[in-house]
Every structure is written in C-alpha cells, then in structure tokens.
Amino acid sequence: MTRPGSPAVHRAARILAELAANPHGLTVPELARRLGTAKSSVSDLVSTLLEEGAVTRDEQATVRLGARIPEIARGFVGGSRLIDEFRGACSRVTELNGAAIVLAVLVGGDIAHVAVREGDRPLPLTLTPGMRLPAWSTATGIALLSHLPDAVVDRMFQHEPAVSPSG
C-alpha cells in the first residue's frame, strides 16, 4: 500500500528530520544511505531545499538545516500557544506519565525554562517558567549543549562560566 501524498515531499521531510537529528550535518551519500534512497534523488531534493533556504551546504559538502527553518518554526509558534502545545504533547506521550518534563531553550550560555510539568516525585530544584540558570549546571542545559558543535560551545563559554545557583 502506498502512502498518500507526494513521495518527493515525504523524502524531503525525512531529509529535514535527519538533519534536525544530526546538527553536525550529513553529506548527501550519508542521507541517501539513512533514507534508503538513491543518491541522485537525495541530491535533487537537497538542491531544491538549498534554493529555498531550508538547508545549507559547506565546502566539505556537509548539509545542515538552513536559516529558513526558524522562520517556519516561528509560524508554528505564532499560530499556536506554545504552552498549550507543550501540555498537549506531554499528555499524548503516555510513556512519560508521572515524569517531570521541562520545556526549555538555550539563551546564550543560559537555559531558560519556558514551561514545567511536575512529576510524581519532586525535583531537587523547583523549576519555574522564566527561570534562567547556567546551561552547564542543569541536565536540560547539558542535553541541549551536547547537540551543538564543539566550536559553538567553546565560543559560548570562552569566558569564565557563570556560578551555579548552588555555588
């Protein structure tokens, strides 16, 4: 049985998802292997995504998400209440029932908490929306930092890092 819709659009969406999961980027042959698709098809799709600004390609032919992606994401966020989307997502993922869940973003070298769903067990630190902490001092911050290229993290912390709340 075939999936409804355009196969090329499905492949393009899968390319974007692979790049989102691999912030260091992937080459066209790597993308083709991961998608189980011919290199020529992936190359054609990447060329179109390049023209649209959805991806970039550097001198080493590494493809990464492009500047157009945040613009698209802003359309999602602007058209919905992010907090409502967070609550809905928390309730849909039944494997996380009872777990504390944090929605946070990196702001420079800090982690900013946008929303928190309390879990069955209290957290050692009471997290509240709007709270900012040094990213390196929280599990959420470390998780977000771990997805950035080393050079970006080095630039973020080239000066002495902020003191953690516990000193």
Side-chain angles (χ1 to χ4, degrees), residues 24-54:
H24 296 295
L26 298 166
T27 63
V28 167
E30 289 170 325
L31 283 165
R33 188 179 75 253
R34 287 169 185 248
L35 273 55
T37 304
K39 281 192 284 187
S40 59
S41 295
V42 173
S43 181
D44 287 346
L45 289 167
V46 166
S47 293
T48 301
L49 292 168
L50 276 165
E51 287 177 28
E52 294 298 324

Side-chain angles (χ1 to χ4, degrees), residues 123-158:
L123 294 170
L125 175 67
T126 302
L127 300 174
T128 57
M131 178 183 272
R132 282 178 69 156
L133 298 167
W136 59 266
S137 71
T138 69
T140 304
I142 291 169
L144 291 173
L145 290 171
S146 73
H147 286 281
L148 296 175
D150 291 344
V152 171
V153 175
D154 289 344
R155 278 194 306 276
M156 289 171 73
F157 297 104
Q158 64 186 348

Side-chain angles (χ1 to χ4, degrees), residues 82-133:
L82 186 59
I83 304 305
D84 293 338
E85 293 295 332
F86 170 73
R87 289 184 187 124
C90 288
S91 65
R92 284 190 300 274
V93 183
T94 57
E95 295 85 4
L96 297 175
N97 283 348
I101 304 173
V102 177
L103 174 62
V105 294
L106 277 173
V107 180
D110 291 342
I111 188 82
H113 295 94
V114 178
V116 179
R117 187 193 77 179
E118 296 295 331
D120 293 341
R121 294 182 308 210
L123 294 170
L125 175 67
T126 302
L127 300 174
T128 57
M131 178 183 272
R132 282 178 69 156
L133 298 167

